[in-house]
Amino acid sequence: MSLEEKLHEIARLIRYYCLISTTSAGSGHPTSSLSAADLMTALLFGGVFKFDVDNPSHHNNDRLIFSKGHASPLFYAQWAAAGVLQEKELMNMRKFGCRLEGHPTKAFNFVEAATGSLGQGLSMGVGIAMNAKYVDKLPYNTYVLLGDSEMAEGSQWEAIQIAAHYKLDNLTGILDVNRLGQRGETMYGHDLSVYEDRLSSFGWETIVIDGHSMHEIHSAIEKTVHVKNKPVMIIARTFKGKGVSLIEDKDGWHGKPVGKDDLKNAIAELGEVDKGIIAEIAKPEDVRADTRNAEEIKAPSYDPGVSVATRKAYGNALKRIYPGYPDMVVLDAEVSNSTYAEIFKNEYPDRFFEMYIAEQNMAGTALGFSIRGKIPFVSTFAAFLTRAYDQIRMGQYSDANIKYCGSHAGVSIGEDGASQMGLEDIAMFRAILDSVVLYPSDAISTERLVEEMAGHKGISYIRTTRGATPILYDNQEEFHIGGSKVLRSSEDDSITVIGAGITLHEALKAYDELKKENVAVRVIDLYSIKPIDLNTLQEAAHATKAFITVEDHFSEGGIGEAVRSAITEMHIPVHSLAVRKMPRSGKPAELLDYEDISSKAIISKVRSLL
Amino acid sequence: MSLEEKLHEIARLIRYYCLISTTSAGSGHPTSSLSAADLMTALLFGGVFKFDVDNPSHHNNDRLIFSKGHASPLFYAQWAAAGVLQEKELMNMRKFGCRLEGHPTKAFNFVEAATGSLGQGLSMGVGIAMNAKYVDKLPYNTYVLLGDSEMAEGSQWEAIQIAAHYKLDNLTGILDVNRLGQRGETMYGHDLSVYEDRLSSFGWETIVIDGHSMHEIHSAIEKTVHVKNKPVMIIARTFKGKGVSLIEDKDGWHGKPVGKDDLKNAIAELGEVDKGIIAEIAKPEDVRADTRNAEEIKAPSYDPGVSVATRKAYGNALKRIYPGYPDMVVLDAEVSNSTYAEIFKNEYPDRFFEMYIAEQNMAGTALGFSIRGKIPFVSTFAAFLTRAYDQIRMGQYSDANIKYCGSHAGVSIGEDGASQMGLEDIAMFRAILDSVVLYPSDAISTERLVEEMAGHKGISYIRTTRGATPILYDNQEEFHIGGSKVLRSSEDDSITVIGAGITLHEALKAYDELKKENVAVRVIDLYSIKPIDLNTLQEAAHATKAFITVEDHFSEGGIGEAVRSAITEMHIPVHSLAVRKMPRSGKPAELLDYEDISSKAIISKVRSLL
């Protein structure tokens, strides 16, 4: 049997699996799977793709991401053909408890990353390919299966431009142009020249093929290996539902399985299926990346009397801790001189990646690095991380290990005005499953918390402040995820004031003023907003009669609500001072006053509660 | 004086204003302003741009958006040259209380929309141009000033593709390629061919010019008028800081004003400035759009016994209320057969705009429609609205009047799995200033709330459910923003259960079960999560000893926290049942059970509190 004949046989089996699994589930996307069945068959089983099926985490495996995650039946079917899954398990696809979920997730260990929100897979591929080319220096290739509908997402073009910029000749996109979107035709139908022209103009090599010709597909994949200094897109003309006349190239069949009554005919149309066929994937070369051992990290060293912006301490910390975390990479969206990621860049340029003003792709690329075992730190203005919320969200379904830093938090940035102020970032990051949200107030706690983030596995976020703030802590002080610090307390405390970041300094000012009036308040530095230090809050709730939270953030989803949720069963009111008026330009102190989150507002609130 | 000479004179005055205002402010972006000063001068004062300075809200004014919002000094300077602002006010730029903020905001009424988060202006321009071409059918043109750095944002390419798709020949982009970004050179520096090739491949007409030649700029702008069926991009080679040798084309000068000591020399270099020059803008033709009077809206009419998905009721409502809101337009991101916006589309195809899978541009386009007085309804899956969070966020600074609908809320969507589940949308929309967040449980309340949204001015959000739910209310029942319904209550109520959407039905099931055990619970339909019905909550807090909130949403920022924040001063515990485990695929009922937000979990929680 020739290779082409064999590929046809395998594709037939894969189509069979796609049909039976979706009909069994009663939902799912067989048509979007069938259009790409030949593409994936020729890729996986044609000899170019290298993957050790007995060791899916092999360092030098080629990588495959289904950016069109709804083609999950195909994904599962191909691994079934490769002998990794049994037909019985396919028949449980989409059922509760089965690892074969509706869209690919990490529950199935051959999935590199969860997909299903379109237009994200290429960014992940960029991260994996950048890791191979620039960090691990391994010869593996990364392949991303893309749908034509999702090419409308801007994130695709962010990934496309960055892939070309970084000359990722180890990255191949396979664009399944099946003409039909969810509710009808795409913008360009089967006009492949549109994709060809655009991708060429963005610096990619393009190869246009008939996506159902095994010969053309195989030949295109072989060609990609020889392209140097740029990524390649294989642009394939395909038909949705290919191979089953009931559904082939028919509108109205997106996300619909063939009915039980029609299944027999559909399968018959495929021709005889050989379930015993051995579909083999070529093995990768057994090479590994050079790794460097972790070295001891020095303690931070700030003079106690100085003021340092926490954003600057973030940059200092990245540089300081890198020897202890040799898997670190740092990404920034063209503002490294504002986030101070540039301090790291200047010291370790090989581990810094300029991602330009394209936050979505930055987050997706970070996920790619994370998938390959790196520890990505990702920074931009807190406000602009909202741009990547969908990518951040999807990270939680991919076991992402990503450390986000949002600088320029809150109205305290001053003159630049509302558009630049991060005022919803805490809410955004809190609403990520098992996330960590940190908001330090001085350089030393920032340094220590950046270190904690590096050692923590998961999605964490640190919020930094534009302006310089006084050092509050000793260089040896310890800070932990889930911790807090009681900075002022006495047996006479009447009220507890809880701040973090810039507002903690306002709370301390308020403390000093109130002390003159013989009013004692407890002041807590809630540097870990999630997880939150329940014990310290409970103690304060027992000791004082009210809480005042004060935050440079909108009132919803921030510190006030985090505190309320933590102590909901305790009978203590939580008064929240937060940003509630339309933010504007002005001096930082003016804006803190205007929003009633300055020491004045705290003092006034305390007095009203005495 | 020839037109060109006059334009040079005006540009000199504008440069002068850019310099003095930023030096006075001590911050701001003079260099990014000077690169575009000639472009904007020739545009505004060259005779092609039509704008009635005495009536900035004139229906047929040409529209100008500064997508590169940090060039606000130029924006203010040009209007000062046009006689709209005085030098004295320019000297207060960026100061607290001055309407000339750090980035353009609606505080200054010549600003169409707030900008400052890059890559958003073109989408707004698309909305304004679509309004002119397809809705108002007015001959005005829309111009968008773009920076080269922001071309890295994917949102730009979403806007670019849609503008070409809708053949927006009334839209002109002016790309200020000044080579330098914030922290160094852009990806392409002064290689204008990159932009030219890409824009051409996306279907735009391109005109490449020297952005400091008044002749070339003016001639390019005149040419744009004659281009038919496609948008035009003027790609201008410029120099950051042009005209002042201290800063011209120099790295390290982003966002930095000329120091006070250097200002005199910088001004002297401009040559003699004529402050008395009369810079006139041509007047627009006095035409108006045909408007249609609002007609009475019929009441919804559902049979009491049926089950209808709230997402379907959303579609029904759009169609039903349109006669009463003739300014409505409906946008959807290629899922109108899932959100049911297609019900409107099928009835009123001229007012429906397919925005394909490009949520960022959809939100920006909606803002454009909103700016021109339309009432845009915008729908996609709730999960995918996260893609547009930055655009949604920026809307709050532009007095946006946009109605968002997120379908497929929560784990109750079932088999499709986590990537498709909106689980952070309530948190996201609550953290928008003065937003409205609605979450109806049946078709009738959905219909009524969609109607309320249409009449409300601001940013509102409605969350809809995938599966069919039983009708709970009478067709004549009234629902209000800020309201709620007490569905079950008695004098013996021990505990209050608060639900919305799918979980309200679980609460009702729990009520029935508990009643059999002679346990009376109060059940509240909290259909308006923001604003929240404080009175009803307070009454329930007085009447019962604990609250149980139950929501198909992550525990942070959702219903539980909204309720806690509302009644923080009352001594009643609020127990939150919410999504806290990694969501997965399965049947809706299985997933509600798994996440402990089903009637079983409610019953168990109630029993534990008795």
Side-chain angles (χ1 to χ4, degrees):
Chain A
M1 192 157 46
S2 74
L3 175 63
E4 251 181 77
E5 284 167 347
K6 179 152 188 192
L7 291 175
H8 275 294
E9 284 292 315
I10 299 170
R12 189 173 298 142
L13 176 63
I14 286 177
R15 284 197 158 86
Y16 166 80
Y17 285 146
C18 291
L19 290 170
I20 61 164
S21 61
T22 48
T23 297
S24 169
S27 64
H29 300 76
T31 56
S32 305
S33 295
L34 294 188
S35 64
D38 297 316
L39 293 168
M40 290 301 98
T41 302
L43 172 66
L44 264 71
F45 307 107
V48 177
F49 187 81
K50 309 283 195 309
F51 194 97
D52 183 349
V53 292
D54 298 321
N55 183 8
S57 61
H58 190 294
H59 283 66
N60 199 34
N61 274 344
D62 285 341
R63 302 285 153 186
L64 170 61
I65 305 227
F66 267 43
S67 185
K68 50 175 291 186
H70 54 290
S72 52
L74 171 61
F75 189 81
Y76 304 138
Q78 77 195 15
W79 290 114
V84 167
L85 288 170
Q86 302 307 309
E87 183 170 330
K88 194 178 155 194
E89 192 163 8
L90 289 181
M91 300 302 275
N92 283 324
M93 189 181 74
R94 292 181 152 247
K95 291 185 182 138
F96 188 73
C98 177
R99 61 182 172 158
L100 309 181
E101 301 207 59
H103 290 74
T105 70
K106 298 293 282 183
F108 175 47
N109 62 337
F110 283 70
V111 173
E112 300 283 342
T115 50
S117 179
L118 291 169
Q120 300 197 15
L122 196 57
S123 295
M124 300 170 198
V126 164
I128 296 173
M130 284 173 75
N131 180 66
K133 190 177 175 92
Y134 295 106
V135 182
D136 281 349
K137 291 169 186 159
L138 285 174
Y140 69 80
N141 290 308
T142 302
Y143 299 87
V144 181
L145 175 66
L146 300 152
D148 49 351
S149 280
E150 65 172 330
M151 295 305 281
E153 287 285 11
S155 52
Q156 301 277 31
W157 300 95
E158 293 182 3
I160 288 165
Q161 75 188 339
I162 283 285
H165 180 74
Y166 280 103
K167 304 185 193 308
L168 300 179
D169 46 16
N170 55 354
L171 177 67
T172 297
I174 300 173
L175 180 53
D176 173 24
V177 186
N178 67 22
R179 187 181 74 80
L180 291 169
Q182 172 173 325
R183 47 82 262 154
E185 195 164 56
T186 65
M187 259 183 277
Y188 313 110
H190 261 149
D191 183 358
L192 273 61
S193 69
V194 172
Y195 303 104
E196 196 185 359
D197 291 351
R198 293 180 184 186
L199 284 154
S200 298
S201 77
F202 272 72
W204 283 53
E205 185 74 26
T206 58
I207 306 173
V208 176
I209 58 164
D210 170 356
H212 299 303
S213 156
M214 285 298 177
H215 177 72
E216 289 192 31
I217 305 166
H218 181 66
S219 149
I221 291 164
E222 287 204 311
K223 268 189 215 159
T224 65
V225 180
H226 307 290
V227 175
K228 291 297 163 211
N229 291 317
K230 52 177 167 173
V232 185
M233 187 70 76
I234 297 172
I235 303 168
R237 180 184 162 96
T238 64
F239 293 98
K240 209 160 170 169
K242 173 73 180 180
V244 178
S245 54
L246 174 71
I247 54 178
E248 183 175 316
D249 200 31
K250 298 252 169 72
D251 206 355
W253 273 97
H254 182 93
K256 288 181 191 157
V258 171
K260 281 190 177 139
D261 296 344
D262 293 318
L263 184 62
K264 202 174 161 188
N265 282 343
I267 292 170
E269 220 180 312
L270 298 178
E272 200 173 334
V273 172
D274 176 5
K275 294 191 189 182
I277 196 167
I278 294 162
E280 269 181 310
I281 302 178
K283 288 267 191 300
E285 200 188 341
D286 194 15
V287 289
R288 288 177 164 270
D290 289 334
T291 50
R292 199 164 55 68
N293 288 334
E295 293 165 26
E296 206 176 326
I297 300 172
K298 290 181 187 148
S301 59
Y302 292 91
D303 288 336
V306 300
S307 282
V308 180
T310 56
R311 61 178 168 136
K312 195 158 193 174
Y314 170 75
N316 290 337
L318 293 181
K319 176 179 154 184
R320 182 177 62 82
I321 70 170
Y322 175 67
Y325 292 96
D327 287 329
M328 269 174 63
V329 292
V330 175
L331 287 69
D332 189 277
E334 226 268 327
V335 289
S336 56
N337 53 342
S338 287
T339 60
Y340 282 109
E342 70 171 12
I343 296 172
F344 179 89
K345 171 176 108 178
N346 293 338
E347 190 76 12
Y348 303 109
D350 293 350
R351 287 302 183 95
F352 176 86
F353 297 95
E354 178 54 69
M355 301 308 288
Y356 298 90
I357 311 181
E359 297 81 4
Q360 293 189 81
N361 179 63
M362 176 166 69
T365 300
L367 181 56
F369 275 116
S370 160
I371 292 166
R372 297 311 315 132
K374 297 305 166 293
I375 304 175
F377 278 85
V378 176
S379 53
T380 185
F381 285 26
F384 305 143
L385 284 172
T386 56
R387 199 66 157 258
Y389 197 20
D390 199 10
Q391 280 77 8
I392 294 166
R393 175 184 81 86
M394 286 299 293
Q396 75 192 313
Y397 304 128
S398 290
D399 296 343
N401 183 27
I402 304 180
K403 293 89 189 51
Y404 289 98
C405 171
S407 70
H408 295 69
V411 301
S412 72
I413 66 162
E415 290 80 357
D416 271 337
S419 62
Q420 317 293 300
M421 296 169 174
L423 289 165
E424 53 293 290
D425 51 318
I426 298 176
M428 178 170 91
F429 275 101
R430 281 185 68 234
I432 296 285
L433 211 60
D434 299 325
S435 63
V436 168
V437 179
L438 305 170
Y439 185 15
S441 305
D442 83 337
I444 291 168
S445 51
T446 305
E447 289 256 9
R448 291 298 190 185
L449 290 171
V450 171
E451 204 172 327
E452 290 289 303
M453 288 169 86
H456 170 266
K457 180 114 174 46
I459 296 175
S460 56
Y461 173 61
I462 190 164
R463 186 179 212 233
T464 63
T465 301
R466 181 173 183 270
T469 45
I471 297 285
L472 296 173
Y473 297 103
D474 186 87
N475 280 304
Q476 303 305 322
E477 185 87 24
E478 290 187 3
F479 295 83
H480 300 291
I481 289 170
S484 70
K485 296 282 176 190
V486 180
L487 286 187
R488 301 287 185 272
S489 74
S490 75
E491 291 197 349
D492 303 325
D493 294 343
S494 58
I495 285 161
T496 301
V497 181
I498 300 168
I502 194 80
T503 61
L504 180 67
H505 297 277
E506 298 299 315
L508 292 173
K509 279 185 233 167
Y511 170 90
D512 291 339
E513 284 301 309
L514 290 163
K515 200 178 172 188
K516 293 176 194 164
E517 302 169 18
N518 285 319
V519 173
V521 293
R522 182 164 298 194
V523 178
I524 296 179
D525 174 1
L526 196 75
Y527 64 77
S528 178
I529 299 171
K530 183 184 173 191
I532 202 163
D533 182 355
L534 182 57
N535 283 343
T536 298
L537 293 178
Q538 279 176 334
E539 275 173 36
H542 285 300
T544 62
K545 68 178 180 185
F547 279 6
I548 299 172
T549 59
V550 51
E551 60 190 310
D552 196 356
H553 183 276
F554 287 137
S555 64
E556 296 88 355
I559 294 174
E561 296 199 344
V563 169
R564 282 179 188 134
S565 287
I567 56 155
T568 184
E569 295 192 46
M570 302 193 71
H571 285 182
I572 183 165
V574 180
H575 302 276
S576 152
L577 301 177
V579 175
R580 295 175 197 272
K581 293 179 212 156
M582 180 61 72
R584 48 169 75 169
S585 290
K587 293 196 185 111
E590 287 171 335
L591 299 179
L592 294 177
D593 275 342
Y594 167 69
E595 296 289 355
D596 289 324
I597 55 173
S598 67
S599 59
K600 283 180 204 165
I602 297 169
I603 292 166
S604 155
K605 191 75 196 175
V606 168
R607 285 187 189 138
S608 77
L609 296 172
L610 290 176
Chain B
M1 195 158 43
S2 74
L3 174 63
E4 256 181 63
E5 283 166 348
K6 180 154 186 189
L7 292 175
H8 274 295
E9 285 291 317
I10 298 170
R12 191 172 297 142
L13 176 62
I14 285 176
R15 285 197 158 87
Y16 166 79
Y17 285 146
C18 291
L19 290 170
I20 61 164
S21 62
T22 46
T23 298
S24 168
S27 64
H29 299 76
T31 55
S32 305
S33 295
L34 295 188
S35 64
D38 298 316
L39 293 167
M40 289 300 98
T41 302
L43 172 66
L44 264 72
F45 307 108
V48 177
F49 187 80
K50 309 284 197 309
F51 194 97
D52 184 349
V53 290
D54 298 322
N55 184 7
S57 61
H58 190 296
H59 282 66
N60 200 34
N61 275 344
D62 284 342
R63 302 283 152 187
L64 172 61
I65 304 222
F66 267 43
S67 186
K68 49 176 288 187
H70 54 291
S72 52
L74 171 62
F75 189 81
Y76 303 139
Q78 76 195 15
W79 290 113
V84 167
L85 288 171
Q86 302 305 309
E87 184 170 327
K88 194 179 153 193
E89 193 164 6
L90 290 182
M91 300 301 275
N92 283 323
M93 188 180 78
R94 294 180 152 247
K95 291 185 181 138
F96 188 72
C98 177
R99 62 183 171 158
L100 309 181
E101 301 206 60
H103 289 74
T105 71
K106 298 294 283 182
F108 175 46
N109 64 336
F110 283 70
V111 173
E112 300 284 341
T115 50
S117 179
L118 291 169
Q120 301 198 13
L122 195 59
S123 294
M124 300 171 198
V126 164
I128 296 173
M130 284 174 75
N131 180 65
K133 190 175 175 97
Y134 295 106
V135 182
D136 282 350
K137 290 166 187 163
L138 285 174
Y140 68 79
N141 290 308
T142 302
Y143 300 87
V144 181
L145 175 65
L146 300 153
D148 48 352
S149 280
E150 66 172 329
M151 296 304 281
E153 286 284 12
S155 52
Q156 300 278 31
W157 299 95
E158 294 182 3
I160 287 164
Q161 75 187 340
I162 283 286
H165 181 75
Y166 279 104
K167 302 184 197 304
L168 300 180
D169 46 15
N170 56 354
L171 176 67
T172 297
I174 301 174
L175 180 54
D176 173 23
V177 186
N178 67 20
R179 190 182 71 81
L180 291 170
Q182 169 172 325
R183 49 82 261 155
E185 195 163 52
T186 65
M187 259 183 277
Y188 313 112
H190 262 148
D191 183 0
L192 273 62
S193 69
V194 172
Y195 302 105
E196 195 185 0
D197 290 350
R198 293 180 184 186
L199 284 153
S200 299
S201 76
F202 272 73
W204 283 51
E205 185 74 24
T206 57
I207 307 173
V208 176
I209 59 165
D210 169 356
H212 299 303
S213 156
M214 286 298 177
H215 176 73
E216 288 192 30
I217 305 167
H218 182 64
S219 149
I221 292 164
E222 285 203 313
K223 267 188 216 159
T224 65
V225 180
H226 308 291
V227 175
K228 293 295 162 212
N229 291 320
K230 53 175 164 174
V232 185
M233 187 70 76
I234 297 172
I235 303 168
R237 180 186 163 94
T238 63
F239 293 97
K240 208 159 171 172
K242 173 72 179 179
V244 178
S245 53
L246 174 70
I247 55 179
E248 184 174 315
D249 202 32
K250 298 251 169 72
D251 206 355
W253 273 98
H254 181 94
K256 288 182 190 155
V258 170
K260 280 189 179 142
D261 297 343
D262 293 317
L263 184 62
K264 203 174 160 188
N265 283 342
I267 292 170
E269 220 181 313
L270 298 177
E272 201 176 330
V273 172
D274 176 5
K275 294 192 186 179
I277 196 167
I278 295 163
E280 270 182 312
I281 301 178
K283 289 268 190 301
E285 202 188 339
D286 194 15
V287 290
R288 286 175 164 276
D290 289 336
T291 50
R292 200 165 54 70
N293 288 333
E295 293 165 28
E296 207 176 325
I297 300 172
K298 289 179 187 151
S301 58
Y302 292 90
D303 289 335
V306 300
S307 283
V308 181
T310 57
R311 60 179 170 134
K312 194 158 195 176
Y314 169 76
N316 290 337
L318 292 180
K319 175 179 157 185
R320 182 177 63 82
I321 70 169
Y322 175 68
Y325 292 95
D327 288 329
M328 269 174 63
V329 293
V330 175
L331 286 69
D332 189 275
E334 227 266 328
V335 289
S336 57
N337 54 340
S338 287
T339 61
Y340 282 110
E342 71 171 12
I343 296 172
F344 179 90
K345 171 176 109 178
N346 293 339
E347 190 77 11
Y348 304 109
D350 293 350
R351 287 302 184 95
F352 177 87
F353 297 95
E354 178 54 68
M355 302 308 289
Y356 298 90
I357 310 181
E359 298 80 5
Q360 294 188 82
N361 179 62
M362 176 166 69
T365 299
L367 181 57
F369 275 117
S370 160
I371 291 166
R372 299 308 317 131
K374 298 305 168 295
I375 304 174
F377 278 85
V378 176
S379 52
T380 185
F381 284 28
F384 304 143
L385 284 171
T386 55
R387 201 64 158 256
Y389 197 20
D390 198 9
Q391 281 77 6
I392 294 166
R393 174 184 82 87
M394 285 300 293
Q396 76 190 317
Y397 305 129
S398 290
D399 297 344
N401 184 27
I402 305 179
K403 294 93 189 46
Y404 289 99
C405 171
S407 70
H408 295 68
V411 301
S412 72
I413 67 164
E415 290 80 357
D416 270 338
S419 63
Q420 319 292 301
M421 297 170 174
L423 289 165
E424 55 294 290
D425 52 317
I426 298 177
M428 178 170 90
F429 276 101
R430 282 185 67 235
I432 296 284
L433 211 59
D434 299 325
S435 63
V436 167
V437 179
L438 305 170
Y439 185 16
S441 305
D442 84 336
I444 291 168
S445 51
T446 305
E447 289 256 9
R448 292 300 191 183
L449 290 171
V450 170
E451 204 171 329
E452 291 288 302
M453 288 170 87
H456 170 267
K457 179 111 176 44
I459 297 175
S460 56
Y461 174 61
I462 191 165
R463 185 178 214 234
T464 65
T465 300
R466 180 172 184 269
T469 45
I471 296 284
L472 296 174
Y473 297 104
D474 187 88
N475 280 304
Q476 302 306 319
E477 185 88 24
E478 289 186 4
F479 295 83
H480 302 290
I481 288 169
S484 71
K485 298 281 177 193
V486 180
L487 286 187
R488 301 287 185 272
S489 74
S490 75
E491 291 195 350
D492 304 324
D493 294 343
S494 58
I495 284 161
T496 300
V497 180
I498 300 169
I502 194 79
T503 60
L504 180 68
H505 298 276
E506 298 299 316
L508 292 172
K509 277 185 236 167
Y511 170 91
D512 290 339
E513 284 302 308
L514 290 164
K515 201 178 170 188
K516 293 177 195 162
E517 303 169 17
N518 285 319
V519 175
V521 293
R522 184 164 297 192
V523 178
I524 296 178
D525 174 2
L526 196 74
Y527 63 78
S528 179
I529 299 171
K530 182 182 171 191
I532 202 162
D533 184 354
L534 182 57
N535 284 343
T536 298
L537 294 178
Q538 279 174 335
E539 275 173 37
H542 285 299
T544 61
K545 67 177 182 186
F547 280 6
I548 298 171
T549 60
V550 51
E551 60 192 309
D552 196 356
H553 184 275
F554 287 136
S555 65
E556 296 89 355
I559 294 175
E561 295 200 345
V563 169
R564 283 180 186 135
S565 287
I567 55 153
T568 183
E569 296 190 46
M570 302 191 71
H571 286 184
I572 183 165
V574 180
H575 302 276
S576 152
L577 301 176
V579 175
R580 296 174 196 271
K581 292 180 214 157
M582 181 60 72
R584 47 169 75 170
S585 290
K587 292 196 187 116
E590 288 170 334
L591 298 180
L592 294 176
D593 276 341
Y594 167 69
E595 295 289 356
D596 290 324
I597 55 172
S598 68
S599 60
K600 282 182 204 162
I602 298 169
I603 292 165
S604 155
K605 190 76 198 171
V606 168
R607 283 186 190 139
S608 78
L609 297 172
L610 289 176

